[in-house]
Amino acid sequence: MKLIAPAYYPQFSCIAGDCRHSCCIGWEIDIDADSCARFLALEGAFGARLRANIDADGEAPHFRLCGEEERCPFLNERGLCDIILTLGEEALCQICTDHPRWRNFYADRTEIGLGLCCEAAAALVLGWEAPVSMICLSDDGENAMPTAEEAAFFSLRDDLLAMAQNREKLLDERIADMLASVGGVRYQDMTAWGKFFSGLEILDCAWVELLSGMDGGRTALPGHAGEQLISYLLLRHLPKVLDGEDAAVIVSFAVLAFDLTQALFAQCEVQDFSALCDIVRLFSSEIEYSEENMYAVFDEIASS
């Protein structure tokens, strides 16, 4: 079995206390069974602190969030994790170890990538200069083969990524090629989509404020950020066709996210790379990290 990742993946590292939008604030942090057992059995003062901050009620054990900000109880005043500082990074529960990584599983490989809800990941992905390629991080030597369905999927994905990254054409021309190849749709009225997104489950009120300011204008994204955003969305979400989702819906979603980002970028007072990363981080947090919201968007695209 191989572990495959985008070429930028090995360059990612958490920026810890320098992060302006910590994943340890505002997110419920579930604790996997193995980690929970270790935490509950830990002796000493830190073990007592762990036990005092674990809520075992509900579907899964989780840390009790603190204050109006809903901070993890182990996020200290410097923005650092007291679990790491006291016990080492290997002591983290699985969700904290994994974040912001995502995985897609196939017969012959696992593909791993970085979610854009993390500001450091967003900066790395959107700022990547080269067309994105996939690299092998590890290989255990097993000679598994993709299924016939997966082989067809990989062929489709390769074709779409080649179109998205064909720098001999303007990005709008590449988008037209992609949509035509699968029968997808490109939407023009981002104001209407802004109202639709505002009606979904909301995590951060800043997202609604951002959506409400759109006036229909769009501004081109800097560098190759648009290409990288579309490529990322294809890598992360196109595998849903193996679960029965329509490729036209996924490609239309990727283009919609790109167009919405342009519209949101247009209203920024300072149109710089940092502002772009903030927009994409919010989009990812509000849409990609809510299965309910994701499939609401897919359903809207499928029915339009």
Side-chain angles (χ1 to χ4, degrees):
M1 184 73 71
K2 298 179 177 65
L3 181 63
I4 305 293
Y8 49 70
Y9 179 87
Q11 296 192 21
F12 174 76
S13 61
C14 175
I15 57 176
D18 292 329
C19 185
R20 295 176 296 118
H21 305 281
S22 174
C23 57
C24 304
I25 299 175
W27 297 82
E28 184 170 285
I29 304 169
D30 289 340
I31 308 170
D32 58 282
D34 289 344
S35 297
C36 190
R38 283 190 286 102
F39 292 160
L40 294 176
L42 188 67
E43 297 180 353
F46 198 76
R49 181 182 169 192
L50 280 164
R51 287 187 289 277
N53 285 286
I54 293 175
D55 186 343
D57 296 334
E59 294 183 3
H62 55 274
F63 290 124
R64 303 178 192 276
L65 301 182
C66 304
E68 292 184 1
E69 284 189 311
E70 296 189 316
R71 295 171 65 93
C72 172
F74 297 95
L75 181 67
N76 66 30
E77 67 281 355
R78 295 177 293 155
L80 301 177
C81 175
D82 282 340
I83 294 177
I84 293 177
L85 294 175
T86 305
L87 303 176
E89 191 169 348
E90 65 278 4
L92 290 175
C93 54
Q94 193 62 47
I95 195 170
C96 294
T97 299
D98 280 350
H99 189 80
R101 296 161 183 84
W102 52 263
R103 291 175 176 83
N104 289 316
F105 301 95
Y106 308 97
D108 67 327
R109 74 189 74 175
T110 296
E111 291 187 353
I112 189 170
L114 302 168
L116 299 185
C117 70
C118 165
E119 64 186 71
L124 177 60
V125 174
L126 298 179
W128 193 253
E129 289 293 328
V132 68
S133 58
M134 305 299 282
I135 61 172
C136 183
L137 300 178
S138 64
D139 184 352
D140 64 8
E142 293 186 11
N143 294 318
M145 296 293 292
T147 66
E149 186 180 22
E150 288 173 347
F153 160 76
F154 289 133
S155 178
L156 170 65
R157 189 181 70 176
D158 289 347
D159 289 345
L160 287 167
L161 284 172
M163 294 177 204
Q165 299 180 129
N166 180 6
R167 295 183 179 178
E168 294 182 0
K169 292 186 175 184
L170 297 174
L171 188 51
D172 279 346
E173 294 175 317
R174 303 181 224 170
I175 287 171
D177 290 343
M178 292 166 53
L179 291 170
S181 72
V182 295
V185 177
R186 188 172 194 181
Y187 302 95
Q188 298 303 317
D189 189 353
M190 290 299 106
T191 303
W193 274 103
K195 293 178 181 177
F196 174 81
F197 283 118
S198 295
L200 301 178
E201 180 184 11
I202 301 299
L203 176 68
D204 187 337
C205 61
W207 175 237
V208 176
E209 293 173 7
L210 194 61
L211 292 169
S212 66
M214 286 193 300
D215 60 7
R218 302 187 196 183
T219 296
L221 306 184
H224 298 294
E227 172 190 313
Q228 298 296 359
L229 175 59
I230 291 172
S231 298
Y232 157 86
L233 291 165
L234 291 177
L235 285 172
R236 181 166 186 179
H237 298 295
L238 196 62
K240 291 178 174 65
V241 303
L242 293 170
D243 297 322
E245 199 62 66
D246 189 342
V249 170
I250 304 299
V251 176
S252 298
F253 168 75
V255 175
L256 171 62
F258 164 75
D259 286 331
L260 183 72
T261 300
Q262 284 190 313
L264 295 172
F265 191 56
Q267 72 189 42
C268 294
E269 291 184 11
V270 179
Q271 294 173 347
D272 60 11
F273 186 68
S274 178
L276 171 61
C277 289
D278 276 346
I279 290 168
V280 172
R281 177 191 60 80
L282 275 169
F283 174 84
S284 182
S285 298
E286 297 287 338
I287 307 303
E288 288 190 295
Y289 281 80
S290 167
E291 186 170 301
E292 180 181 343
N293 285 351
M294 274 289 296
Y295 281 93
V297 179
F298 290 167
D299 290 345
E300 186 69 13
I301 292 172
S303 63
S304 63

